[in-house]
């Protein structure tokens, strides 16, 4: 049986990679993919904690399904926003989009 610490280390690694990607990417689709990676790291934590809790309840799996649903909705809305930005600015580079700047 794999110890809980391995799952937590893997989850922290995935979350760190996602955070690094979200903060350093200039492409909006790359930022969206990094956010999805962070959501999956959280899902891994939920499922791992659910597996190692003393009472075998399905709370972790239910939270993971909820997070997957929210991530799917976030991806749909994010892609729609990126498509709208591309139609207006002809680019998806977030550095070149200065809609909120003075």
């Amino acid at each position: 049986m794999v110890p809980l610490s391995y799952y937590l280390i893997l989850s922290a690694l995935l979350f760190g990679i996602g955070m690094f990607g979200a903060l350093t990417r200039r492409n909006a689709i790359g930022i969206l993919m990094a956010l999805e990676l962070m959501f999956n790291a959280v899902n891994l934590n939920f499922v791992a904690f659910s597996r190692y809790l003393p009472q075998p309840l399905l709370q972790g799996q239910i939270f993971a399904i909820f997070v997957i649903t929210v991530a799917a909705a976030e991806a749909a809305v994010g892609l729609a926003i990126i498509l709208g930005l591309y139609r207006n600015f002809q680019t998806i580079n977030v550095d070149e989009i200065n809609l909120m700047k003075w």
Side-chain angles (χ1 to χ4, degrees):
M1 185 171 192
V2 179
L4 178 63
S5 62
Y6 288 0
Y7 291 112
L8 296 179
I9 290 170
L10 177 64
S11 177
L13 192 68
L14 284 176
F15 192 85
I17 292 171
M19 179 71 77
F20 177 75
L23 293 177
T24 59
R25 291 283 176 183
R26 294 184 179 167
N27 188 338
I29 292 178
I31 293 171
L32 196 62
M33 288 172 42
L35 289 175
E36 294 293 330
L37 193 60
M38 290 192 301
F39 279 135
N40 285 329
V42 172
N43 283 339
L44 183 62
N45 263 343
F46 281 139
V47 173
F49 278 119
S50 173
R51 172 70 176 93
Y52 286 96
L53 283 178
Q55 296 176 345
L57 299 175
L58 294 176
Q59 293 168 340
Q61 286 87 354
I62 291 172
F63 275 121
I65 290 172
F66 179 72
V67 170
I68 289 171
T69 306
V70 170
E74 175 259 339
V77 171
L79 287 175
I81 290 172
I82 291 171
L83 188 62
L85 289 173
Y86 182 74
R87 286 184 180 163
N88 287 333
F89 297 104
Q90 302 300 321
T91 184
I92 54 172
N93 189 353
V94 294
D95 287 340
E96 297 175 13
I97 300 169
N98 56 2
L99 184 64
M100 299 293 285
K101 293 181 182 175
W102 291 81

